[in-house]
Amino acid sequence: MDSNNTGDPQLNENTLDPSVIAELPNGCQILSTKTHGLSFFAKTACINVKLSNGATQSFFVKILSHELGKNMVYAEFESMQEIHKTQPEFVPKPIAWGSYQNAPNTHFFMSEYRDMIKDKMPDPQPFAACLSKLHQNSTSPNGKFGFHTTTYSGNLPQMVEWEDSWEVFFSKSLRLALELELNTKGPNAEVDSFLPALFDKVIPRLLRPLERNGRYVKPSLVHGDLWYANSGVDIHTGQPLVFDACCFYAHHEYEFGQWMPACNRFGDDYLEAYRSYVPKSAPEEDYDGRLDLYKLRFNTHVSALFPQDRQLREQMVGDIRDLVNRYGSG
């Protein structure tokens, strides 16, 4: 299941790499290291230590290999750092990223470990409160849409080059996702026939009004891959948490595209809770169409991630067809 699995057995306390040990608290004693959680693209583990004052503390570590793995752990660290700056209680604190001393082709991401309630969705109201604060209180460093380093949803890159216009940024982002999908699954005549209308009519119809007639889209920091499996509830505090971020600065409603697919567990109650803090962007009548457009971006990227799943392509093509039929006439 893990195409980037290192195959490296160094996940026990006796052989933990010195580069990882160096990021643990000074003077601590490693009590145990055990596999923890599931990942499609990495090994994940929990390191338990005894601090010099006798207290215990735990750390989460994710391990990948090759140059792609190095880029991915760096991007995750930068993403989690960016969220932590704005909304520190919403994410496990990122601690470090780096490469193994004894295996330079193996790379790691480390954060604090937060024990979460299994199979429990966060309550809509507190979750929406945290998410809306992240979106509203974050500030793009240059006032543009994008991110300072390429981020990865799964093991595939996202377009994050800085752009002044949200319409331009989103168009480039969707073009890259489509390129990845078509490279993975091969050409599709129906998709090709729809692309001119999608980019020349649908996207301008739905996104251009956001930035016209005195309207302005604030570049908000988004998690970037906020499906239910990347959220949780702290077992000790009840605090909602998110993790596995692949951030960039975007229109905040982009985040909800991930909530539209059928497999999603963030239902209407979460959207309603969010809107109690942040209203729909104007023009409000385009809200549903914008979310369907953002859903297409996520479904396209997911189809590229799983080459053998033909249903994901069918979903993507259906999304394009629907958008063109609704908004592609001019």
Side-chain angles (χ1 to χ4, degrees):
M1 184 169 66
D2 182 358
S3 62
N4 281 311
N5 196 309
T6 65
D8 191 321
Q10 298 182 24
L11 282 177
N12 66 74
E13 59 271 28
N14 296 320
T15 58
L16 204 59
D17 190 83
S19 294
V20 177
I21 295 173
E23 301 296 345
L24 299 173
N26 290 333
C28 73
Q29 175 189 353
I30 298 172
L31 300 176
S32 65
T33 302
K34 59 182 180 180
T35 300
H36 173 78
L38 296 174
S39 172
F40 286 111
F41 305 107
K43 281 186 175 180
T44 53
C46 177
I47 304 171
N48 301 300
V49 307
K50 184 176 181 179
L51 304 177
S52 56
N53 64 3
T56 58
Q57 190 172 354
S58 298
F59 300 88
F60 172 81
V61 64
K62 178 181 288 188
I63 302 169
L64 296 101
S65 61
H66 310 301
E67 188 68 19
L68 174 61
K70 182 179 181 179
N71 295 338
M72 288 170 66
V73 295
Y74 170 66
E76 182 169 353
F77 178 80
E78 292 295 304
S79 294
M80 296 291 280
Q81 278 271 78
E82 204 74 5
I83 296 178
H84 192 263
K85 289 177 188 176
T86 300
Q87 198 71 0
E89 70 275 15
F90 201 28
V91 290
K93 181 180 179 180
I95 293 171
W97 76 278
S99 301
Y100 275 22
Q101 178 179 310
N102 294 335
N105 205 30
T106 301
H107 317 283
F108 69 93
F109 162 80
M110 182 189 292
S111 71
E112 67 174 344
Y113 173 81
R114 301 283 288 272
D115 200 7
M116 299 184 204
I117 304 172
K118 292 182 179 179
D119 301 321
K120 178 177 173 60
M121 291 289 291
D123 291 336
Q125 206 67 34
F127 185 82
C130 288
L131 186 61
S132 64
K133 287 180 183 176
L134 173 66
H135 292 163
Q136 297 303 301
N137 296 341
S138 55
T139 302
S140 170
N142 54 16
K144 298 183 179 184
F145 302 98
F147 205 62
H148 62 273
T149 189
T150 299
T151 55
Y152 293 78
S153 180
N155 64 350
L156 294 177
Q158 305 184 112
M159 202 297 294
V160 295
E161 296 173 5
W162 295 110
E163 291 291 346
D164 292 307
S165 164
W166 170 241
E167 179 190 342
V168 172
F169 179 91
F170 180 83
S171 295
K172 288 186 174 182
S173 175
L174 181 57
R175 283 191 187 279
L176 175 59
L178 282 164
E179 178 184 332
L180 293 170
E181 203 277 346
L182 293 170
N183 286 344
T184 298
K185 286 193 166 124
N188 181 280
E190 187 174 12
V191 170
D192 289 344
S193 71
F194 282 138
L195 290 188
L198 177 64
F199 285 96
D200 296 340
K201 295 184 177 182
V202 175
I203 293 177
R205 164 64 186 83
L206 289 172
L207 300 189
R208 194 165 296 174
L210 290 167
E211 300 175 296
R212 292 292 185 270
N213 300 322
R215 301 186 185 107
Y216 165 75
V217 178
K218 173 191 179 296
S220 297
L221 186 68
V222 295
H223 176 286
D225 189 22
L226 195 52
W227 66 306
Y228 68 87
N230 287 342
S231 70
V233 178
D234 188 293
I235 198 168
H236 301 293
T237 66
Q239 172 74 31
L241 295 169
V242 295
F243 44 90
D244 280 354
C246 50
C247 291
F248 51 89
Y249 287 88
H251 178 212
H252 68 275
E253 289 177 353
Y254 172 86
E255 198 91 270
F256 309 137
Q258 182 69 295
W259 297 7
M260 297 298 104
C263 64
N264 155 64
R265 293 184 190 174
F266 286 116
D268 290 341
D269 49 346
Y270 287 86
L271 286 168
E272 290 174 8
Y274 185 93
R275 291 197 297 267
S276 71
Y277 298 100
V278 182
K280 297 176 183 178
S281 296
E284 293 85 350
E285 60 268 23
D286 291 342
Y287 175 78
D288 290 338
R290 290 193 300 264
L291 265 55
D292 285 337
L293 180 61
Y294 299 158
K295 175 184 74 170
L296 169 63
R297 161 63 177 78
F298 283 98
N299 281 345
T300 302
H301 193 96
V302 170
S303 181
L305 280 171
F306 298 99
Q308 305 308 315
D309 193 329
R310 307 307 298 182
Q311 288 185 337
L312 292 173
R313 165 162 279 190
E314 292 172 8
Q315 176 64 63
M316 180 196 78
V317 175
D319 291 343
I320 297 174
R321 184 188 306 119
D322 174 63
L323 285 163
V324 170
N325 287 339
R326 287 159 63 192
Y327 300 104
S329 61

